[in-house]
Amino acid sequence: ETGVTQTPRHLVMGMTNKKSLKCEQHLGHNAMYWYKQSAKKPLELMFVYSLEERVENNSVPSRFSPECPNSSHLFLHLHTLQPEDSALYLCASSQDVILWGQIYMNTEAFFGQGTRLTVV
Amino acid sequence: AQTVTQSQPEMSVQEAETVTLSCTYDTSENNYYLFWYKQPPSRQMILVIRQEAYKQQNATENRFSVNFQKAAKSFSLKISDSQLGDTAMYFCAFMKHLIIQGAQKLVFGQGTRLTINP
């Protein structure tokens, strides 16, 4: 198995649908991320979970709802999306080392293959 | 805030040639990491090479090497003896060395689409 697995690989949904994206990491990492990759734009960080606690929410609309039930799984729940939400959604994980207090040392991120989402 | 700029949207070279992809960044941090990620048509982002800012020696990984110029905030990727399998989008990325929980993680450039022609 690859280190970070995302399902489904492709998803087409209507604006009134509710769907979920799933990410699973087999690397023993303690941090997981959702990124959005749109055409001709840099990757945008959406959410960060560190030790199963959401620590970052970059002004993402509420129609995107993340869930991290444990350190190996991450979900992105979708509802009432807009056509401009069509993009590649990438999940990533990393092992953050807690040095002291809330000071963390980063390590590199490992990515899944993404879910190509099309909103019609 | 940190920014990463890749000024070459597309590049194309012949197989076996050497190609250099450019990247500049802006930060007030002194300690940080820089990365080059490769995204082939399979879409998975794969780490190609990593550089720690406090190390003066340029990182190398087989055919891949970087030219890290800290003062100029430049981080270019050189691919030697290019192969067809090197065809992909290449992203330059920045990450702080130390963060306070909740701070920004990876910051990516816009990417360079590299095509290796037979």
Side-chain angles (χ1 to χ4, degrees), chain A residues 9-10 33 35 37 55-56 96 99 102 104 106-109 111 113-114, chain B residues 33 37 39 42-44 50 91 95-102 105-106:
Chain A
R9 293 290 309 277
H10 303 270
Y33 316 77
Y35 284 89
Q37 185 178 20
V55 296
E56 188 81 12
D96 287 348
L99 296 180
Q102 288 190 312
Y104 287 51
N106 279 290
T107 62
E108 62 260 32
F111 286 81
Q113 289 182 291
Chain B
Y33 296 111
Y37 278 90
Q39 188 179 37
S42 66
R43 305 185 322 215
Q44 185 159 21
R50 159 183 149 153
F91 292 93
M95 185 169 70
K96 293 179 184 178
H97 177 60
L98 295 176
I99 61 164
I100 297 174
Q101 187 184 30
K105 300 285 186 173
L106 280 166

PDB file of all heavy atoms in Angstrom, chain A residues 9-10 33 35 37 55-56 96 99 102 104 106-109 111 113-114, chain B residues 33 37 39 42-44 50 91 95-102 105-106:
ATOM      1  N   ARG A   9     -10.980   8.465  -6.286  1.00  0.00           N
ATOM      2  CA  ARG A   9     -10.021   9.168  -7.149  1.00  0.00           C
ATOM      3  C   ARG A   9     -10.723  10.257  -7.958  1.00  0.00           C
ATOM      4  O   ARG A   9     -10.139  11.295  -8.262  1.00  0.00           O
ATOM      5  CB  ARG A   9      -9.352   8.191  -8.104  1.00  0.00           C
ATOM      6  CG  ARG A   9      -8.450   7.179  -7.429  1.00  0.00           C
ATOM      7  CD  ARG A   9      -7.187   7.833  -6.871  1.00  0.00           C
ATOM      8  NE  ARG A   9      -6.489   8.655  -7.842  1.00  0.00           N
ATOM      9  CZ  ARG A   9      -5.624   8.199  -8.750  1.00  0.00           C
ATOM     10  NH1 ARG A   9      -5.375   6.904  -8.820  1.00  0.00           N
ATOM     11  NH2 ARG A   9      -5.017   9.020  -9.575  1.00  0.00           N
ATOM     12  N   HIS A  10     -11.978   9.985  -8.322  1.00  0.00           N
ATOM     13  CA  HIS A  10     -12.767  10.953  -9.088  1.00  0.00           C
ATOM     14  C   HIS A  10     -14.156  11.042  -8.469  1.00  0.00           C
ATOM     15  O   HIS A  10     -14.691  10.032  -8.014  1.00  0.00           O
ATOM     16  CB  HIS A  10     -12.902  10.521 -10.556  1.00  0.00           C
ATOM     17  CG  HIS A  10     -11.595  10.329 -11.247  1.00  0.00           C
ATOM     18  ND1 HIS A  10     -10.948  11.343 -11.912  1.00  0.00           N
ATOM     19  CD2 HIS A  10     -10.807   9.232 -11.370  1.00  0.00           C
ATOM     20  CE1 HIS A  10      -9.825  10.883 -12.427  1.00  0.00           C
ATOM     21  NE2 HIS A  10      -9.712   9.613 -12.112  1.00  0.00           N
ATOM     22  N   TYR A  33      -3.374  16.874   6.548  1.00  0.00           N
ATOM     23  CA  TYR A  33      -3.718  18.147   5.903  1.00  0.00           C
ATOM     24  C   TYR A  33      -4.661  17.915   4.726  1.00  0.00           C
ATOM     25  O   TYR A  33      -4.573  16.893   4.045  1.00  0.00           O
ATOM     26  CB  TYR A  33      -2.465  18.832   5.324  1.00  0.00           C
ATOM     27  CG  TYR A  33      -1.251  18.824   6.218  1.00  0.00           C
ATOM     28  CD1 TYR A  33      -0.483  17.676   6.367  1.00  0.00           C
ATOM     29  CD2 TYR A  33      -0.864  19.964   6.902  1.00  0.00           C
ATOM     30  CE1 TYR A  33       0.637  17.666   7.171  1.00  0.00           C
ATOM     31  CE2 TYR A  33       0.260  19.965   7.709  1.00  0.00           C
ATOM     32  CZ  TYR A  33       1.002  18.808   7.837  1.00  0.00           C
ATOM     33  OH  TYR A  33       2.115  18.798   8.645  1.00  0.00           O
ATOM     34  N   TYR A  35      -5.348  19.982   1.137  1.00  0.00           N
ATOM     35  CA  TYR A  35      -4.973  21.046   0.225  1.00  0.00           C
ATOM     36  C   TYR A  35      -5.939  21.045  -0.949  1.00  0.00           C
ATOM     37  O   TYR A  35      -6.410  19.996  -1.379  1.00  0.00           O
ATOM     38  CB  TYR A  35      -3.565  20.836  -0.340  1.00  0.00           C
ATOM     39  CG  TYR A  35      -2.429  21.156   0.598  1.00  0.00           C
ATOM     40  CD1 TYR A  35      -1.911  20.195   1.453  1.00  0.00           C
ATOM     41  CD2 TYR A  35      -1.839  22.421   0.604  1.00  0.00           C
ATOM     42  CE1 TYR A  35      -0.855  20.476   2.297  1.00  0.00           C
ATOM     43  CE2 TYR A  35      -0.775  22.711   1.447  1.00  0.00           C
ATOM     44  CZ  TYR A  35      -0.292  21.728   2.285  1.00  0.00           C
ATOM     45  OH  TYR A  35       0.759  22.019   3.118  1.00  0.00           O
ATOM     46  N   GLN A  37      -6.067  22.112  -4.972  1.00  0.00           N
ATOM     47  CA  GLN A  37      -5.240  22.467  -6.128  1.00  0.00           C
ATOM     48  C   GLN A  37      -6.152  22.812  -7.289  1.00  0.00           C
ATOM     49  O   GLN A  37      -6.768  21.931  -7.890  1.00  0.00           O
ATOM     50  CB  GLN A  37      -4.295  21.326  -6.496  1.00  0.00           C
ATOM     51  CG  GLN A  37      -3.321  21.693  -7.614  1.00  0.00           C
ATOM     52  CD  GLN A  37      -2.341  20.569  -7.936  1.00  0.00           C
ATOM     53  OE1 GLN A  37      -2.574  19.409  -7.616  1.00  0.00           O
ATOM     54  NE2 GLN A  37      -1.234  20.913  -8.559  1.00  0.00           N
ATOM     55  N   VAL A  55      -5.871  22.507  13.928  1.00  0.00           N
ATOM     56  CA  VAL A  55      -5.052  23.644  14.329  1.00  0.00           C
ATOM     57  C   VAL A  55      -4.993  24.727  13.266  1.00  0.00           C
ATOM     58  O   VAL A  55      -4.359  25.747  13.446  1.00  0.00           O
ATOM     59  CB  VAL A  55      -3.613  23.195  14.677  1.00  0.00           C
ATOM     60  CG1 VAL A  55      -3.635  22.275  15.871  1.00  0.00           C
ATOM     61  CG2 VAL A  55      -2.943  22.509  13.504  1.00  0.00           C
ATOM     62  N   GLU A  56      -5.611  24.477  12.132  1.00  0.00           N
ATOM     63  CA  GLU A  56      -5.570  25.460  11.071  1.00  0.00           C
ATOM     64  C   GLU A  56      -6.855  25.384  10.270  1.00  0.00           C
ATOM     65  O   GLU A  56      -7.299  24.298   9.911  1.00  0.00           O
ATOM     66  CB  GLU A  56      -4.366  25.189  10.148  1.00  0.00           C
ATOM     67  CG  GLU A  56      -4.101  26.252   9.101  1.00  0.00           C
ATOM     68  CD  GLU A  56      -3.350  27.439   9.665  1.00  0.00           C
ATOM     69  OE1 GLU A  56      -2.851  27.338  10.788  1.00  0.00           O
ATOM     70  OE2 GLU A  56      -3.267  28.460   8.979  1.00  0.00           O
ATOM     71  N   ASP A  96       5.148  15.583  12.962  1.00  0.00           N
ATOM     72  CA  ASP A  96       5.596  16.781  13.660  1.00  0.00           C
ATOM     73  C   ASP A  96       6.217  16.393  14.988  1.00  0.00           C
ATOM     74  O   ASP A  96       5.669  15.590  15.733  1.00  0.00           O
ATOM     75  CB  ASP A  96       4.423  17.735  13.905  1.00  0.00           C
ATOM     76  CG  ASP A  96       3.989  18.425  12.623  1.00  0.00           C
ATOM     77  OD1 ASP A  96       4.721  18.339  11.617  1.00  0.00           O
ATOM     78  OD2 ASP A  96       2.922  19.038  12.635  1.00  0.00           O
ATOM     79  N   LEU A  99       8.833  19.986  20.249  1.00  0.00           N
ATOM     80  CA  LEU A  99      10.088  20.264  20.951  1.00  0.00           C
ATOM     81  C   LEU A  99       9.818  20.704  22.377  1.00  0.00           C
ATOM     82  O   LEU A  99      10.365  20.159  23.328  1.00  0.00           O
ATOM     83  CB  LEU A  99      10.878  21.322  20.193  1.00  0.00           C
ATOM     84  CG  LEU A  99      11.350  20.904  18.793  1.00  0.00           C
ATOM     85  CD1 LEU A  99      12.127  22.035  18.149  1.00  0.00           C
ATOM     86  CD2 LEU A  99      12.195  19.646  18.861  1.00  0.00           C
ATOM     87  N   GLN A 102       4.298  24.575  22.750  1.00  0.00           N
ATOM     88  CA  GLN A 102       3.595  24.519  21.477  1.00  0.00           C
ATOM     89  C   GLN A 102       4.535  24.749  20.306  1.00  0.00           C
ATOM     90  O   GLN A 102       4.108  25.082  19.217  1.00  0.00           O
ATOM     91  CB  GLN A 102       2.484  25.568  21.461  1.00  0.00           C
ATOM     92  CG  GLN A 102       1.310  25.226  22.356  1.00  0.00           C
ATOM     93  CD  GLN A 102       0.146  26.163  22.127  1.00  0.00           C
ATOM     94  OE1 GLN A 102       0.308  27.375  22.096  1.00  0.00           O
ATOM     95  NE2 GLN A 102      -1.039  25.612  21.966  1.00  0.00           N
ATOM     96  N   TYR A 104       6.730  23.364  17.541  1.00  0.00           N
ATOM     97  CA  TYR A 104       6.838  22.130  16.776  1.00  0.00           C
ATOM     98  C   TYR A 104       7.965  22.246  15.768  1.00  0.00           C
ATOM     99  O   TYR A 104       8.241  23.309  15.235  1.00  0.00           O
ATOM    100  CB  TYR A 104       5.541  21.882  15.991  1.00  0.00           C
ATOM    101  CG  TYR A 104       4.365  21.438  16.813  1.00  0.00           C
ATOM    102  CD1 TYR A 104       3.966  22.123  17.939  1.00  0.00           C
ATOM    103  CD2 TYR A 104       3.632  20.322  16.432  1.00  0.00           C
ATOM    104  CE1 TYR A 104       2.872  21.709  18.674  1.00  0.00           C
ATOM    105  CE2 TYR A 104       2.531  19.904  17.160  1.00  0.00           C
ATOM    106  CZ  TYR A 104       2.161  20.605  18.278  1.00  0.00           C
ATOM    107  OH  TYR A 104       1.079  20.195  19.004  1.00  0.00           O
ATOM    108  N   ASN A 106       8.846  20.920  12.090  1.00  0.00           N
ATOM    109  CA  ASN A 106       8.208  20.318  10.927  1.00  0.00           C
ATOM    110  C   ASN A 106       9.096  19.302  10.258  1.00  0.00           C
ATOM    111  O   ASN A 106      10.318  19.376  10.304  1.00  0.00           O
ATOM    112  CB  ASN A 106       7.905  21.410   9.901  1.00  0.00           C
ATOM    113  CG  ASN A 106       6.648  22.157  10.227  1.00  0.00           C
ATOM    114  OD1 ASN A 106       5.568  21.635  10.124  1.00  0.00           O
ATOM    115  ND2 ASN A 106       6.805  23.395  10.632  1.00  0.00           N
ATOM    116  N   THR A 107       8.479  18.377   9.592  1.00  0.00           N
ATOM    117  CA  THR A 107       9.175  17.491   8.667  1.00  0.00           C
ATOM    118  C   THR A 107       8.428  17.549   7.345  1.00  0.00           C
ATOM    119  O   THR A 107       7.383  18.165   7.250  1.00  0.00           O
ATOM    120  CB  THR A 107       9.206  16.038   9.168  1.00  0.00           C
ATOM    121  OG1 THR A 107       7.858  15.569   9.263  1.00  0.00           O
ATOM    122  CG2 THR A 107       9.882  15.954  10.517  1.00  0.00           C
ATOM    123  N   GLU A 108       8.971  16.886   6.321  1.00  0.00           N
ATOM    124  CA  GLU A 108       8.319  16.988   5.022  1.00  0.00           C
ATOM    125  C   GLU A 108       6.987  16.253   5.005  1.00  0.00           C
ATOM    126  O   GLU A 108       6.758  15.349   5.788  1.00  0.00           O
ATOM    127  CB  GLU A 108       9.219  16.450   3.901  1.00  0.00           C
ATOM    128  CG  GLU A 108       9.571  14.989   4.008  1.00  0.00           C
ATOM    129  CD  GLU A 108      10.959  14.809   4.582  1.00  0.00           C
ATOM    130  OE1 GLU A 108      11.379  15.640   5.415  1.00  0.00           O
ATOM    131  OE2 GLU A 108      11.620  13.830   4.206  1.00  0.00           O
ATOM    132  N   ALA A 109       6.131  16.690   4.103  1.00  0.00           N
ATOM    133  CA  ALA A 109       4.805  16.110   3.968  1.00  0.00           C
ATOM    134  C   ALA A 109       4.795  15.053   2.865  1.00  0.00           C
ATOM    135  O   ALA A 109       5.500  15.165   1.870  1.00  0.00           O
ATOM    136  CB  ALA A 109       3.783  17.200   3.649  1.00  0.00           C
ATOM    137  N   PHE A 111       2.169  13.038   0.297  1.00  0.00           N
ATOM    138  CA  PHE A 111       0.870  13.313  -0.299  1.00  0.00           C
ATOM    139  C   PHE A 111       0.209  12.056  -0.843  1.00  0.00           C
ATOM    140  O   PHE A 111       0.871  11.108  -1.274  1.00  0.00           O
ATOM    141  CB  PHE A 111       1.016  14.305  -1.453  1.00  0.00           C
ATOM    142  CG  PHE A 111       1.277  15.718  -0.998  1.00  0.00           C
ATOM    143  CD1 PHE A 111       2.547  16.115  -0.646  1.00  0.00           C
ATOM    144  CD2 PHE A 111       0.240  16.634  -0.931  1.00  0.00           C
ATOM    145  CE1 PHE A 111       2.789  17.413  -0.220  1.00  0.00           C
ATOM    146  CE2 PHE A 111       0.472  17.933  -0.511  1.00  0.00           C
ATOM    147  CZ  PHE A 111       1.746  18.325  -0.159  1.00  0.00           C
ATOM    148  N   GLN A 113      -2.775  10.700  -3.795  1.00  0.00           N
ATOM    149  CA  GLN A 113      -2.930  10.940  -5.234  1.00  0.00           C
ATOM    150  C   GLN A 113      -4.066  11.899  -5.553  1.00  0.00           C
ATOM    151  O   GLN A 113      -4.269  12.266  -6.695  1.00  0.00           O
ATOM    152  CB  GLN A 113      -3.147   9.614  -5.963  1.00  0.00           C
ATOM    153  CG  GLN A 113      -1.890   8.761  -5.999  1.00  0.00           C
ATOM    154  CD  GLN A 113      -2.114   7.473  -6.756  1.00  0.00           C
ATOM    155  OE1 GLN A 113      -2.840   6.600  -6.301  1.00  0.00           O
ATOM    156  NE2 GLN A 113      -1.477   7.348  -7.899  1.00  0.00           N
ATOM    157  N   GLY A 114      -4.800  12.293  -4.532  1.00  0.00           N
ATOM    158  CA  GLY A 114      -5.811  13.305  -4.754  1.00  0.00           C
ATOM    159  C   GLY A 114      -7.152  12.758  -5.213  1.00  0.00           C
ATOM    160  O   GLY A 114      -7.261  11.645  -5.730  1.00  0.00           O
TER     161      GLY A 114
ATOM    162  N   TYR B  33      12.944  25.134   5.762  1.00  0.00           N
ATOM    163  CA  TYR B  33      13.194  24.089   4.777  1.00  0.00           C
ATOM    164  C   TYR B  33      12.683  24.561   3.423  1.00  0.00           C
ATOM    165  O   TYR B  33      11.688  25.285   3.337  1.00  0.00           O
ATOM    166  CB  TYR B  33      12.452  22.801   5.136  1.00  0.00           C
ATOM    167  CG  TYR B  33      12.873  22.148   6.420  1.00  0.00           C
ATOM    168  CD1 TYR B  33      12.016  22.125   7.519  1.00  0.00           C
ATOM    169  CD2 TYR B  33      14.116  21.527   6.548  1.00  0.00           C
ATOM    170  CE1 TYR B  33      12.380  21.518   8.696  1.00  0.00           C
ATOM    171  CE2 TYR B  33      14.485  20.917   7.733  1.00  0.00           C
ATOM    172  CZ  TYR B  33      13.615  20.916   8.798  1.00  0.00           C
ATOM    173  OH  TYR B  33      13.975  20.308   9.982  1.00  0.00           O
ATOM    174  N   TYR B  37       8.908  19.379  -5.066  1.00  0.00           N
ATOM    175  CA  TYR B  37       8.000  18.261  -5.223  1.00  0.00           C
ATOM    176  C   TYR B  37       7.722  18.077  -6.709  1.00  0.00           C
ATOM    177  O   TYR B  37       7.648  19.029  -7.477  1.00  0.00           O
ATOM    178  CB  TYR B  37       6.667  18.522  -4.509  1.00  0.00           C
ATOM    179  CG  TYR B  37       6.672  18.245  -3.029  1.00  0.00           C
ATOM    180  CD1 TYR B  37       7.004  19.257  -2.116  1.00  0.00           C
ATOM    181  CD2 TYR B  37       6.322  16.993  -2.525  1.00  0.00           C
ATOM    182  CE1 TYR B  37       6.988  19.008  -0.754  1.00  0.00           C
ATOM    183  CE2 TYR B  37       6.314  16.742  -1.170  1.00  0.00           C
ATOM    184  CZ  TYR B  37       6.645  17.753  -0.291  1.00  0.00           C
ATOM    185  OH  TYR B  37       6.633  17.503   1.058  1.00  0.00           O
ATOM    186  N   GLN B  39       4.953  16.347  -9.423  1.00  0.00           N
ATOM    187  CA  GLN B  39       3.598  15.817  -9.558  1.00  0.00           C
ATOM    188  C   GLN B  39       3.417  15.293 -10.980  1.00  0.00           C
ATOM    189  O   GLN B  39       3.114  16.041 -11.901  1.00  0.00           O
ATOM    190  CB  GLN B  39       2.546  16.884  -9.241  1.00  0.00           C
ATOM    191  CG  GLN B  39       1.131  16.338  -9.187  1.00  0.00           C
ATOM    192  CD  GLN B  39       0.104  17.412  -8.852  1.00  0.00           C
ATOM    193  OE1 GLN B  39       0.218  18.547  -9.290  1.00  0.00           O
ATOM    194  NE2 GLN B  39      -0.904  17.053  -8.070  1.00  0.00           N
ATOM    195  N   SER B  42       0.015  10.984 -12.681  1.00  0.00           N
ATOM    196  CA  SER B  42      -0.711  10.199 -11.670  1.00  0.00           C
ATOM    197  C   SER B  42      -1.223  11.072 -10.530  1.00  0.00           C
ATOM    198  O   SER B  42      -2.007  10.620  -9.700  1.00  0.00           O
ATOM    199  CB  SER B  42       0.205   9.116 -11.089  1.00  0.00           C
ATOM    200  OG  SER B  42       1.273   9.708 -10.360  1.00  0.00           O
ATOM    201  N   ARG B  43      -0.770  12.319 -10.485  1.00  0.00           N
ATOM    202  CA  ARG B  43      -1.225  13.358  -9.560  1.00  0.00           C
ATOM    203  C   ARG B  43      -0.608  13.304  -8.172  1.00  0.00           C
ATOM    204  O   ARG B  43      -0.773  14.242  -7.396  1.00  0.00           O
ATOM    205  CB  ARG B  43      -2.755  13.374  -9.421  1.00  0.00           C
ATOM    206  CG  ARG B  43      -3.496  13.521 -10.710  1.00  0.00           C
ATOM    207  CD  ARG B  43      -4.985  13.653 -10.537  1.00  0.00           C
ATOM    208  NE  ARG B  43      -5.533  12.835  -9.493  1.00  0.00           N
ATOM    209  CZ  ARG B  43      -6.744  12.272  -9.574  1.00  0.00           C
ATOM    210  NH1 ARG B  43      -7.465  12.420 -10.647  1.00  0.00           N
ATOM    211  NH2 ARG B  43      -7.197  11.558  -8.571  1.00  0.00           N
ATOM    212  N   GLN B  44       0.081  12.232  -7.843  1.00  0.00           N
ATOM    213  CA  GLN B  44       0.648  12.167  -6.498  1.00  0.00           C
ATOM    214  C   GLN B  44       1.858  13.069  -6.393  1.00  0.00           C
ATOM    215  O   GLN B  44       2.766  13.010  -7.216  1.00  0.00           O
ATOM    216  CB  GLN B  44       1.033  10.743  -6.154  1.00  0.00           C
ATOM    217  CG  GLN B  44       1.518  10.595  -4.712  1.00  0.00           C
ATOM    218  CD  GLN B  44       1.425   9.169  -4.227  1.00  0.00           C
ATOM    219  OE1 GLN B  44       1.369   8.246  -5.029  1.00  0.00           O
ATOM    220  NE2 GLN B  44       1.412   8.973  -2.936  1.00  0.00           N
ATOM    221  N   ARG B  50      15.215  18.007  -0.699  1.00  0.00           N
ATOM    222  CA  ARG B  50      14.948  18.886   0.432  1.00  0.00           C
ATOM    223  C   ARG B  50      16.242  19.577   0.841  1.00  0.00           C
ATOM    224  O   ARG B  50      17.311  18.976   0.812  1.00  0.00           O
ATOM    225  CB  ARG B  50      14.399  18.031   1.565  1.00  0.00           C
ATOM    226  CG  ARG B  50      14.510  18.583   2.953  1.00  0.00           C
ATOM    227  CD  ARG B  50      13.971  17.568   3.922  1.00  0.00           C
ATOM    228  NE  ARG B  50      14.655  17.648   5.198  1.00  0.00           N
ATOM    229  CZ  ARG B  50      14.100  17.281   6.349  1.00  0.00           C
ATOM    230  NH1 ARG B  50      12.892  16.805   6.359  1.00  0.00           N
ATOM    231  NH2 ARG B  50      14.775  17.382   7.458  1.00  0.00           N
ATOM    232  N   PHE B  91       6.923  21.574  -8.222  1.00  0.00           N
ATOM    233  CA  PHE B  91       6.551  22.630  -7.290  1.00  0.00           C
ATOM    234  C   PHE B  91       7.682  22.878  -6.308  1.00  0.00           C
ATOM    235  O   PHE B  91       8.225  21.943  -5.702  1.00  0.00           O
ATOM    236  CB  PHE B  91       5.290  22.252  -6.507  1.00  0.00           C
ATOM    237  CG  PHE B  91       4.053  22.182  -7.340  1.00  0.00           C
ATOM    238  CD1 PHE B  91       3.647  20.983  -7.908  1.00  0.00           C
ATOM    239  CD2 PHE B  91       3.289  23.315  -7.555  1.00  0.00           C
ATOM    240  CE1 PHE B  91       2.495  20.915  -8.671  1.00  0.00           C
ATOM    241  CE2 PHE B  91       2.133  23.255  -8.320  1.00  0.00           C
ATOM    242  CZ  PHE B  91       1.743  22.058  -8.886  1.00  0.00           C
ATOM    243  N   MET B  95       8.871  25.803   4.026  1.00  0.00           N
ATOM    244  CA  MET B  95       8.277  25.454   5.308  1.00  0.00           C
ATOM    245  C   MET B  95       9.154  25.987   6.430  1.00  0.00           C
ATOM    246  O   MET B  95      10.369  25.825   6.404  1.00  0.00           O
ATOM    247  CB  MET B  95       8.117  23.946   5.434  1.00  0.00           C
ATOM    248  CG  MET B  95       7.395  23.494   6.671  1.00  0.00           C
ATOM    249  SD  MET B  95       6.960  21.743   6.605  1.00  0.00           S
ATOM    250  CE  MET B  95       8.571  20.995   6.753  1.00  0.00           C
ATOM    251  N   LYS B  96       8.524  26.602   7.422  1.00  0.00           N
ATOM    252  CA  LYS B  96       9.283  27.071   8.571  1.00  0.00           C
ATOM    253  C   LYS B  96       9.892  25.889   9.310  1.00  0.00           C
ATOM    254  O   LYS B  96       9.326  24.793   9.338  1.00  0.00           O
ATOM    255  CB  LYS B  96       8.369  27.822   9.545  1.00  0.00           C
ATOM    256  CG  LYS B  96       7.822  29.132   9.024  1.00  0.00           C
ATOM    257  CD  LYS B  96       6.931  29.749  10.083  1.00  0.00           C
ATOM    258  CE  LYS B  96       6.272  31.013   9.626  1.00  0.00           C
ATOM    259  NZ  LYS B  96       5.367  31.576  10.667  1.00  0.00           N
ATOM    260  N   HIS B  97      11.017  26.112   9.931  1.00  0.00           N
ATOM    261  CA  HIS B  97      11.675  25.058  10.695  1.00  0.00           C
ATOM    262  C   HIS B  97      10.948  24.787  11.998  1.00  0.00           C
ATOM    263  O   HIS B  97      10.724  23.642  12.378  1.00  0.00           O
ATOM    264  CB  HIS B  97      13.116  25.474  10.968  1.00  0.00           C
ATOM    265  CG  HIS B  97      13.873  24.499  11.814  1.00  0.00           C
ATOM    266  ND1 HIS B  97      14.095  23.188  11.455  1.00  0.00           N
ATOM    267  CD2 HIS B  97      14.455  24.630  13.021  1.00  0.00           C
ATOM    268  CE1 HIS B  97      14.794  22.567  12.384  1.00  0.00           C
ATOM    269  NE2 HIS B  97      15.026  23.411  13.355  1.00  0.00           N
ATOM    270  N   LEU B  98      10.567  25.839  12.655  1.00  0.00           N
ATOM    271  CA  LEU B  98       9.838  25.710  13.902  1.00  0.00           C
ATOM    272  C   LEU B  98       8.547  26.498  13.790  1.00  0.00           C
ATOM    273  O   LEU B  98       8.534  27.591  13.222  1.00  0.00           O
ATOM    274  CB  LEU B  98      10.651  26.263  15.073  1.00  0.00           C
ATOM    275  CG  LEU B  98      11.950  25.531  15.422  1.00  0.00           C
ATOM    276  CD1 LEU B  98      12.672  26.262  16.529  1.00  0.00           C
ATOM    277  CD2 LEU B  98      11.656  24.098  15.830  1.00  0.00           C
ATOM    278  N   ILE B  99       7.482  25.957  14.309  1.00  0.00           N
ATOM    279  CA  ILE B  99       6.213  26.679  14.268  1.00  0.00           C
ATOM    280  C   ILE B  99       5.552  26.600  15.634  1.00  0.00           C
ATOM    281  O   ILE B  99       5.820  25.713  16.425  1.00  0.00           O
ATOM    282  CB  ILE B  99       5.245  26.096  13.223  1.00  0.00           C
ATOM    283  CG1 ILE B  99       4.902  24.634  13.557  1.00  0.00           C
ATOM    284  CG2 ILE B  99       5.822  26.206  11.831  1.00  0.00           C
ATOM    285  CD1 ILE B  99       3.694  24.114  12.827  1.00  0.00           C
ATOM    286  N   ILE B 100       4.697  27.537  15.835  1.00  0.00           N
ATOM    287  CA  ILE B 100       3.778  27.453  16.960  1.00  0.00           C
ATOM    288  C   ILE B 100       2.547  26.723  16.436  1.00  0.00           C
ATOM    289  O   ILE B 100       2.087  26.985  15.342  1.00  0.00           O
ATOM    290  CB  ILE B 100       3.420  28.843  17.494  1.00  0.00           C
ATOM    291  CG1 ILE B 100       4.686  29.526  18.028  1.00  0.00           C
ATOM    292  CG2 ILE B 100       2.331  28.758  18.548  1.00  0.00           C
ATOM    293  CD1 ILE B 100       4.474  30.952  18.444  1.00  0.00           C
ATOM    294  N   GLN B 101       2.043  25.810  17.229  1.00  0.00           N
ATOM    295  CA  GLN B 101       0.915  25.005  16.789  1.00  0.00           C
ATOM    296  C   GLN B 101      -0.158  25.872  16.152  1.00  0.00           C
ATOM    297  O   GLN B 101      -0.592  26.870  16.726  1.00  0.00           O
ATOM    298  CB  GLN B 101       0.323  24.244  17.969  1.00  0.00           C
ATOM    299  CG  GLN B 101      -0.753  23.262  17.570  1.00  0.00           C
ATOM    300  CD  GLN B 101      -1.398  22.596  18.774  1.00  0.00           C
ATOM    301  OE1 GLN B 101      -1.474  23.192  19.826  1.00  0.00           O
ATOM    302  NE2 GLN B 101      -1.848  21.382  18.613  1.00  0.00           N
ATOM    303  N   GLY B 102      -0.563  25.481  14.965  1.00  0.00           N
ATOM    304  CA  GLY B 102      -1.601  26.233  14.266  1.00  0.00           C
ATOM    305  C   GLY B 102      -1.076  27.133  13.186  1.00  0.00           C
ATOM    306  O   GLY B 102      -1.834  27.687  12.424  1.00  0.00           O
ATOM    307  N   LYS B 105       1.740  25.694   7.324  1.00  0.00           N
ATOM    308  CA  LYS B 105       2.629  24.596   6.991  1.00  0.00           C
ATOM    309  C   LYS B 105       3.329  24.899   5.661  1.00  0.00           C
ATOM    310  O   LYS B 105       3.923  25.934   5.501  1.00  0.00           O
ATOM    311  CB  LYS B 105       1.821  23.301   6.932  1.00  0.00           C
ATOM    312  CG  LYS B 105       1.151  22.966   8.247  1.00  0.00           C
ATOM    313  CD  LYS B 105       2.130  22.447   9.287  1.00  0.00           C
ATOM    314  CE  LYS B 105       1.414  21.981  10.541  1.00  0.00           C
ATOM    315  NZ  LYS B 105       2.296  21.308  11.514  1.00  0.00           N
ATOM    316  N   LEU B 106       3.254  24.013   4.677  1.00  0.00           N
ATOM    317  CA  LEU B 106       3.934  24.221   3.399  1.00  0.00           C
ATOM    318  C   LEU B 106       3.326  25.371   2.607  1.00  0.00           C
ATOM    319  O   LEU B 106       2.114  25.499   2.521  1.00  0.00           O
ATOM    320  CB  LEU B 106       3.840  22.958   2.545  1.00  0.00           C
ATOM    321  CG  LEU B 106       4.812  21.826   2.861  1.00  0.00           C
ATOM    322  CD1 LEU B 106       4.352  20.554   2.167  1.00  0.00           C
ATOM    323  CD2 LEU B 106       6.207  22.189   2.417  1.00  0.00           C
TER     324      LEU B 106
END
